[in-house]
Amino acid sequence: MALKTHQDWLDARQNLTIRAQALIDGKFVAASSGRSFASVSPVDGSTLAQVADCGQEDVDLAVAAARRAFEDGRWSKRAPAERKAVLCRLGDLVRAHRDELALLETLDMGKPIADSTSIDVRAVANCFAWYGEAIDKIYDEIAPTPSDTLALVSREPLGVVAAVVPWNFPMLMASWKVAPALAAGNSVVLKPSENSSLSALRLAELALEAGVPPGVFNVVTGWGPETGKALGLHMDVDGLFFTGSTAVGRFYMEYAARSNLKKIGLELGGKSPNIILSSYHDIRHAAETSANSAFFNQGEMCTCPSRLIVEESVHDEVVDVLLAQSKAFAPGHPLDPATRFGAMVDERHTTRVLGFVDIAQEDGATLATGGKRVCMDSGGCYLEPTIFDHVRNDMRIAQEEVFGPVLSVITVKDVDEALRVANDTPFGLASSIWTDDLSTAHRAAKELRAGLTYVNCYDCDDMTVPFGGFKESGIGRDKSLHALDKYTELKTTWIKLSK
Ligand code: NAD
């Protein structure tokens, strides 16, 4: 029975079974060292579980299990149609366990339960089904060579793939990597964030139930500088695909260079510009959507449109709407289905975001609303949605990724200045422009240096399109058929034909 009320979710929490050991070679195991760390809920500060703190030895075991599974072909040599059936079954199981998975996600990282159920879990199920459905419909190539030779161009799985992911969409960011990697026939070792290990473990257990053979999808839980680094430096990992901050992404490039030059993919941070021009016919709609996108998921979004670049003639109207709309994001209990804005992921991150509020004021930005920690007696981590006006693009609040509910308004004279300011950032993940002028829209779509450009919308989403960044926002793309490029090698086979 679907859970409907706040009380339903609180009751469900009492009956929740939590897996907190690593999943290696099809079995839940404690860390070899016996060490564990507390998974603390940002909802109320309670300890949810003691999670296995995996070290080098556990990473070695997981990689060895993945290697054995890859070499004996228990998954890698299965027909694509068979892998498809298993991945589609996993999608069905995710859907069938929607409430349980959503509860784990919300308790672990604080997002509203309404979002966990209707966005995260649904998207995870779709992702596995999508790559499952795709994989038996992709053909390799025969090259147009002279008639006495045959040249085949085929895609081969990489082998052992490691995936290291963040906490803002824990299961979804994992699925964007695990689903195409498994579809292509690889074995996987996943390291979730230490802030959000729980749903990854349950997902991998459901994968076993769906028919993914033991050893093919392993999960090692633990801290980045130990567990993540051990995967990054591992000599028997063929590819490492990372989603997280730009600073840590640099480490993974270095790990790859210092070890076996493993293939890497990096999905990194952003500081996305969102331009509202007076030529858009519905300024209220543009401003409302901008606030909704900036505060969605507590602003803990890589694509958060945190720099709102407004043409000066519509500045006042835009700011009025933003202030009014921010009220719809009053923090609430994440297990209340009516809540739209939940808890920040943990104490450390909450303090970091508040630090940016101080920095922005010291640099001369005007605090228009928010900026404070609230709901202190809950024991959890709650911040007000925050808007700064009169921000200059060279201020730290406009240049660095805050990864929280902090929106900066930057005023510009015209479209030329807007595009210049938009591109004046080391990042290049998402961007957007609101205008009714077709030529301006096309010009912006070409000139904005970002992997994603939205015109008259924000955060449209679908499995069919690639997702990733230019510049310091990353290397490579998740989602769509293009993601399969990451998890495969191209093999050329020449065959000399006899007369
Ligand atoms: P993070 O970089 O701190 O951590 C990400 C992962 O790296 C975690 O699993 C962590 O344990 C590990 N890690 C941390 N330090 C490490 C080290 N020294 N060596 C090896 N591994 C290490 O990021 P986060 O705080 O978990 O997530 C927020 C970041 O993720 C933001 O920058 C956000 O923009 C980015 N993100 C990007 C995308 C995208 O698709 N581009 C999507 C979601 C989040």
Side-chain angles (χ1 to χ4, degrees), residues 295 322-323 326 366-370 385-389 405-409:
F295 299 136
L322 293 176
L323 290 173
S326 70
T366 307
L367 180 63
T369 189
T386 300
I387 299 173
F388 279 104
D389 199 359
V406 182
L407 176 58
S408 295
V409 180

Side-chain angles (χ1 to χ4, degrees), residues 225-271:
E226 187 168 357
T227 324
K229 184 176 177 181
L231 277 172
L233 287 172
H234 207 289
M235 294 299 286
D236 206 26
V237 168
D238 300 297
L240 195 144
F241 301 95
F242 171 78
T243 300
S245 61
T246 297
V248 176
R250 290 181 202 281
F251 287 137
Y252 279 95
M253 272 196 118
E254 198 187 315
Y255 300 152
R258 278 167 50 196
S259 55
N260 58 347
L261 285 179
K262 56 180 65 61
K263 189 174 181 181
I264 63 167
L266 303 173
E267 297 288 340
L268 307 178
K271 193 75 200 175

Side-chain angles (χ1 to χ4, degrees), residues 159-170:
V160 175
V161 161
V164 178
V165 294
W167 45 260
N168 63 331
F169 289 84

Side-chain angles (χ1 to χ4, degrees), residues 112-439:
I113 195 71
D115 290 352
S116 295
T117 48
S118 67
I119 298 172
D120 295 66
V121 178
R122 185 185 50 78
V124 168
N126 286 347
C127 179
F128 280 99
W130 199 87
Y131 282 105
E133 285 292 351
I135 203 63
D136 69 343
K137 297 168 189 72
I138 297 170
Y139 291 69
D140 287 330
E141 299 165 19
I142 298 174
T145 53
S147 60
D148 61 344
T149 53
L150 183 63
L152 310 175
V153 183
S154 53
R155 283 174 186 269
E156 309 272 324
L158 289 185
V160 175
V161 161
V164 178
V165 294
W167 45 260
N168 63 331
F169 289 84
M171 246 191 323
L172 186 58
M173 293 303 101
S175 303
W176 283 4
K177 300 196 187 313
V178 174
L182 289 181
N186 297 284
S187 295
V188 175
V189 181
L190 168 67
K191 192 204 90 61
S193 165
E194 55 280 1
N195 276 325
S196 58
S197 315
L198 307 181
S199 57
L201 292 166
R202 184 67 179 121
L203 179 67
E205 191 183 24
L206 290 175
L208 281 171
E209 190 180 331
V212 174
V216 171
F217 179 8
N218 308 275
V219 181
V220 286
T221 46
W223 297 82
E226 187 168 357
T227 324
K229 184 176 177 181
L231 277 172
L233 287 172
H234 207 289
M235 294 299 286
D236 206 26
V237 168
D238 300 297
L240 195 144
F241 301 95
F242 171 78
T243 300
S245 61
T246 297
V248 176
R250 290 181 202 281
F251 287 137
Y252 279 95
M253 272 196 118
E254 198 187 315
Y255 300 152
R258 278 167 50 196
S259 55
N260 58 347
L261 285 179
K262 56 180 65 61
K263 189 174 181 181
I264 63 167
L266 303 173
E267 297 288 340
L268 307 178
K271 193 75 200 175
S272 300
N274 175 25
I275 302 170
I276 301 184
L277 298 179
S278 57
S279 56
Y280 187 62
H281 68 283
D282 189 349
I283 296 296
R284 159 168 293 278
H285 172 67
E288 254 174 33
T289 309
S290 301
N292 293 346
S293 302
F295 299 136
F296 170 61
N297 212 48
Q298 301 71 243
E300 295 166 333
M301 287 276 292
C302 53
T303 52
C304 175
S306 53
R307 289 187 300 143
L308 184 51
I309 300 170
V310 189
E311 201 170 356
E312 63 190 357
S313 58
V314 291
H315 165 273
D316 293 355
E317 185 181 355
V318 166
V319 171
D320 285 348
V321 177
L322 293 176
L323 290 173
Q325 191 61 13
S326 70
K327 303 220 171 0
F329 291 87
H333 195 290
L335 290 182
D336 181 345
T339 292
R340 201 168 171 190
F341 188 81
M344 305 301 293
V345 71
D346 67 3
E347 285 290 339
R348 202 169 63 102
H349 188 55
T350 307
T351 306
R352 182 178 172 277
V353 174
L354 285 170
F356 273 105
V357 172
D358 294 340
I359 289 168
Q361 286 172 286
E362 282 157 23
D363 286 351
T366 307
L367 180 63
T369 189
K372 288 195 297 298
R373 187 166 178 172
V374 289
C375 313
M376 296 298 284
D377 43 0
S378 66
C381 305
Y382 298 87
L383 288 182
E384 293 173 325
T386 300
I387 299 173
F388 279 104
D389 199 359
H390 308 124
V391 173
R392 281 194 330 269
N393 199 52
D394 61 356
M395 291 178 180
R396 281 184 66 190
I397 194 71
Q399 286 292 317
E400 296 178 31
E401 187 182 36
V402 176
F403 214 57
V406 182
L407 176 58
S408 295
V409 180
I410 302 169
T411 310
V412 293
K413 282 193 310 295
D414 54 22
V415 64
D416 291 336
E417 189 183 358
L419 291 172
R420 206 166 47 244
V421 167
N423 285 332
D424 180 13
T425 168
F427 297 106
L429 188 53
S431 59
S432 80
I433 185 152
W434 300 81
T435 178
D436 289 344
D437 184 86
L438 191 62
S439 302

